[in-house]
Amino acid sequence: MIAEAGLAALWLAAALAAMQFVLAAIGVRRVLAAPDDESALTTDLIGAVRPVAIVQGALAALAMALLIAVFLRSDMSVLLVAENSHSEKPWLYKFAGAWGNHEGSMLLWVTILGLAGGAVAIFERSLARATVTATLGAQALIALGFYAFLLFASNPFARIDPAPADGQGLNPLLQDPGLAFHPPTLYIGYVGISVAFSFAVGALVARDVGPAFARAMRPWVLGAWIFLTLGITAGSYWAYYELGWGGWWFWDPVENASLMPWLAATALLHSVTVLATRDGLRAWTVMLAVVAFSMSMIGTFLVRSGILTSVHAFAVDPTRGSFILVLLVLYIGGALALFATRVGTVRAGNTFDLVSREGALVANNLLLSVILGVVLIGTLYPIVAAGFGVQLSVGPPFFDKAAGPVALLLVVVMAAGPLLRWRRDGWRALAARLAVPAAACAIVLAAVLVVAGGVSLLPLLGLALAAGLGVASVAPLWGRNLIRTPLFTWGMVVAHLGIAVSLAGMASESAFTKQTLVAARVGEPQQVGPYTVTLTGISPVIGPNWSALEAHLTARRGDSPAITLRPQSRFFTNPVTVTSESAIATRWDGQLYTVLGQIDGAGRVQLRLWWKPFVTLIWLGGALVALGGALSLIGRLLRERRARHRAEAEAWT
């Protein structure tokens, strides 16, 4: 009965989403036709939207909780459980198995969407009633499409008869604690973008595009951006240590599917700040909200349509992919049509000089848009070519050459932007403020050329610009009282510093990595970077639902104490899969990364060894970026709360 209860909750949530949309549409129409209309009917229509949105979110959450329950109970009469779980799996992977598949992940998507709509209904009190009601109506319409997708094309509660004794098991690559929490993190980011999109649609419908709308939307964009940053960073580290290939980014289509919304959300975040604080970039902000949600939908379509092959794509039938494609066309096409019809009502807002902080933010947005275009073209081009019978792939060389130089130019703009004044500034003043960061760039550039000549151009420039950006990032704190500096200023500093740290890690890993691929015998020492690695033995190991061969490695760096590493080659029976479990030793200046391969007929063991200087800076930088976003979010919320309290106090005096 648990599955039937989950399906019933899903149907009820869908019905309430339909009701929410209808109530919002009628109510907004009446308010726009007569803004002073305070009749009981209009008040009731508008007033009913908020509670309906809250109950709808609660029912979606109930459906997700019941799906998790059938996974934890290993109820093999539910088709989804039988296909994606096994009674012998550890409980964590039964739990995560609820969303480690197509249907469950879509239910998680719509659950977060419903909860976000409920949160908007509860907390958003600053916008005009027509704007917030139209926003909730747009949110309901998005949810309605995904409810229909689940109920008519991807039912997560479908039964099978007879039920198998045991299931087929979850993909072993996904049986990792990091992957148990990575998808929810990304989905919160995707859904946060959908809320920003709904705010943009609501503002267009109510003809209310202005600073108030931007201030209401900004926390959602910041929240989505924080979770996307965390999700991408965690996904990158998971691929690094779990897949055994030694890399942290492969420009895989599914990786790109998460990167594209992040790029658009980053541009939107800067644009919405200008609109909220300086009343500029009105139309650009609305358009970026549409573009960001479009990237989220395109990513959803790519991952679930079955048109691409990836280690973490949900390869399903094209029919269901077509359903998502239709939703994408309806939502994005509808939003663009609405934008076209209402753009004349969106006032230009305040203007600014080219040399100003607003000008730097516009340049920042344009460069982010160029990188987004490169990633989008590189991701979609093989798919379009396949439609014409041409099989090809677009890999790291294309993305590195096309997006790398633009990204470095973006770093220069990032360094200059916070040092500029709002509205108007001068080239000479900017040059003076950039003198110290430029000196840091020059020092690092010279040091690398002298100490480690032969480094290729992009990593070399990356190391130099990382130093300059790091210095420029903390420059806004010079001469300030650090205790009284606003929290959102700290957030900007920490986020930009995180980009510098991450860039330093990427450039260092690219410039200085050493690799050794060898067929080794027991007792034979191998050299990789500053380490001497010796295979001392190999033994069988038994896990909870796998068996493995485990290599015993001893690594020494000069006279330092020995390090023991134990990489494994694991064998799973449900489903039958062999995976490589890398063993990694982390030190202050990098990581020693080891992978066990096959054993040949002569008794030699294949080993892959890497020494990766400062590679951990990549993920440390990602964590700093997310921390900066969190500080900004808290700072903005506290400032708006204080402003609201002051306004209320003044109203009573």
Side-chain angles (χ1 to χ4, degrees):
M1 290 300 291
I2 294 177
E4 284 70 26
L7 187 59
L10 204 54
W11 272 106
L12 285 172
L16 287 180
M19 181 188 296
Q20 180 181 331
F21 172 70
V22 172
L23 289 172
I26 297 174
V28 170
R29 184 181 177 88
R30 290 178 66 90
V31 171
L32 293 180
D36 297 328
D37 182 4
E38 297 290 346
S39 66
L41 177 58
T42 301
T43 303
D44 289 345
L45 284 170
I46 296 290
V49 174
R50 288 181 188 267
V52 170
I54 296 168
V55 177
Q56 184 231 129
L59 284 169
L62 176 62
M64 188 69 222
L66 293 174
L67 183 67
I68 292 172
V70 295
F71 268 86
L72 290 176
R73 292 165 59 94
S74 294
D75 183 352
M76 298 302 166
S77 67
V78 176
L79 178 61
L80 194 64
V81 180
E83 290 181 342
N84 298 280
S85 189
H86 193 281
S87 57
E88 295 181 355
K89 276 199 318 183
W91 76 267
L92 177 62
Y93 303 128
K94 290 181 181 178
F95 181 77
W99 55 75
N101 55 79
H102 168 73
E103 290 84 353
S105 69
M106 293 308 298
L107 179 55
L108 178 63
W109 212 105
V110 80
T111 296
I112 298 173
L113 192 69
L115 291 174
V120 172
I122 293 171
F123 296 111
E124 180 46 56
R125 302 289 172 181
S126 61
L127 285 176
R129 59 176 181 167
T131 307
V132 71
T133 304
T135 298
L136 289 172
Q139 191 75 358
L141 191 58
I142 296 171
L144 194 57
F146 283 97
Y147 284 131
F149 178 65
L150 282 167
L151 292 169
F152 299 120
S154 301
N155 179 9
F157 298 103
R159 296 277 193 184
I160 54 171
D161 186 19
D166 280 309
Q168 298 174 15
L170 179 67
N171 181 348
L173 285 176
L174 303 182
Q175 294 183 36
D176 179 84
L179 256 287
F181 301 103
H182 166 59
T185 309
L186 272 184
Y187 288 177
I188 292 173
Y190 288 151
V191 174
I193 290 176
S194 83
V195 178
F197 171 80
S198 296
F199 270 108
V201 170
L204 282 174
V205 168
R207 297 181 175 85
D208 189 24
V209 178
F213 139 76
R215 284 193 291 272
M217 185 171 76
R218 183 166 53 187
W220 292 96
V221 180
L222 252 175
W225 184 78
I226 292 167
F227 278 98
L228 276 176
T229 303
L230 288 173
I232 292 171
T233 302
S236 167
Y237 193 63
W238 169 81
Y240 172 77
Y241 73 77
E242 179 64 22
L243 299 183
W245 62 297
W248 54 273
W249 194 265
F250 191 66
W251 295 105
D252 177 277
V254 175
E255 292 175 339
N256 296 348
S258 63
L259 179 62
M260 289 187 291
W262 184 87
L263 290 168
T266 305
L268 174 61
L269 183 60
H270 291 91
S271 180
V272 78
T273 298
V274 174
L275 177 53
T277 59
R278 302 288 161 177
D279 194 14
L281 305 179
R282 292 186 174 205
W284 181 241
T285 301
V286 173
M287 179 53 74
L288 278 177
V290 175
V291 170
F293 183 61
S294 303
M295 294 302 107
S296 173
M297 289 293 294
I298 287 174
T300 303
F301 168 70
L302 288 175
V303 176
R304 289 165 181 78
S305 63
I307 63 173
L308 56 81
T309 301
S310 166
V311 67
H312 32 21
F314 296 108
V316 296
D317 63 270
T319 303
R320 290 192 283 187
S322 301
F323 200 122
I324 297 176
L325 186 61
V326 169
L327 290 180
L328 189 155
V329 171
L330 287 176
Y331 293 150
I332 305 307
L336 290 176
L338 178 65
F339 181 79
T341 57
R342 295 292 172 87
V343 70
T345 67
V346 179
R347 292 193 295 112
N350 292 327
T351 58
F352 48 84
D353 284 358
L354 176 64
V355 186
S356 64
R357 188 175 293 190
E358 292 95 328
L361 289 172
V362 170
N364 166 83
N365 281 2
L366 291 175
L367 291 170
L368 282 168
S369 300
V370 171
I371 297 172
L372 173 60
V374 169
V375 178
L376 183 64
I377 291 170
T379 304
L380 296 183
Y381 185 57
I383 299 170
V384 175
F388 292 93
V390 179
Q391 298 297 325
L392 54 84
S393 63
V394 177
F398 165 78
F399 291 103
D400 292 345
K401 289 179 181 177
V406 184
L408 292 181
L409 183 57
L410 177 64
V411 171
V412 175
V413 176
M414 280 182 61
L419 304 181
L420 284 164
R421 300 184 190 283
W422 293 103
R423 306 286 188 207
R424 183 181 299 110
D425 210 332
W427 287 108
R428 288 186 178 180
L430 174 62
R433 293 179 207 128
L434 282 174
V436 176
C441 272
I443 292 170
V444 171
L445 187 66
V448 174
L449 287 174
V450 171
V451 176
V455 175
S456 56
L457 184 60
L458 273 182
L460 180 65
L461 292 176
L463 286 166
L465 289 175
L469 178 59
V471 174
S473 297
V474 299
L477 299 178
W478 296 347
R480 279 178 175 260
N481 182 331
L482 298 183
I483 296 176
R484 303 188 64 178
T485 298
L487 206 52
F488 51 81
T489 301
W490 276 105
M492 178 191 70
V493 168
V494 172
H496 282 204
L497 186 61
I499 294 290
V501 170
S502 218
L503 176 61
M506 295 173 197
S508 177
E509 195 268 350
S510 177
F512 306 124
T513 289
K514 302 296 182 185
Q515 177 181 359
T516 299
L517 305 179
V518 65
R521 296 182 188 279
V522 173
E524 290 181 351
Q526 311 296 332
Q527 194 68 32
V528 57
Y531 282 92
T532 301
V533 181
T534 305
L535 175 68
T536 59
I538 191 163
S539 61
V541 177
I542 300 297
N545 61 339
W546 48 264
S547 59
L549 284 178
E550 182 177 89
H552 302 179
L553 302 176
T554 300
R556 290 185 181 278
R557 181 177 185 173
D559 297 330
S560 62
I563 306 168
T564 301
L565 299 108
R566 297 177 183 273
Q568 295 177 346
S569 178
R570 289 184 181 176
F571 177 73
F572 293 80
T573 55
N574 293 298
V576 176
T577 309
V578 177
T579 67
S580 294
E581 295 295 316
S582 61
I584 301 173
T586 302
R587 294 295 179 267
W588 70 271
D589 58 343
Q591 288 189 327
L592 178 61
Y593 186 114
T594 63
V595 176
L596 171 64
Q598 301 293 318
I599 301 176
D600 65 19
R604 296 176 301 182
V605 178
Q606 293 179 355
L607 293 176
R608 284 179 287 172
L609 313 171
W610 284 275
W611 167 242
K612 294 176 172 291
F614 299 105
V615 66
T616 49
L617 294 182
I618 296 173
W619 304 291
L620 174 63
L624 283 175
V625 173
L627 174 63
L631 292 175
S632 293
L633 178 60
I634 295 169
R636 296 289 181 191
L637 292 175
L638 289 177
R639 168 176 273 202
E640 289 175 14
R641 183 182 178 187
R642 285 195 294 267
R644 192 164 56 249
H645 286 172
R646 278 198 301 271
E648 290 172 357
E650 289 171 2
W652 280 97
T653 59

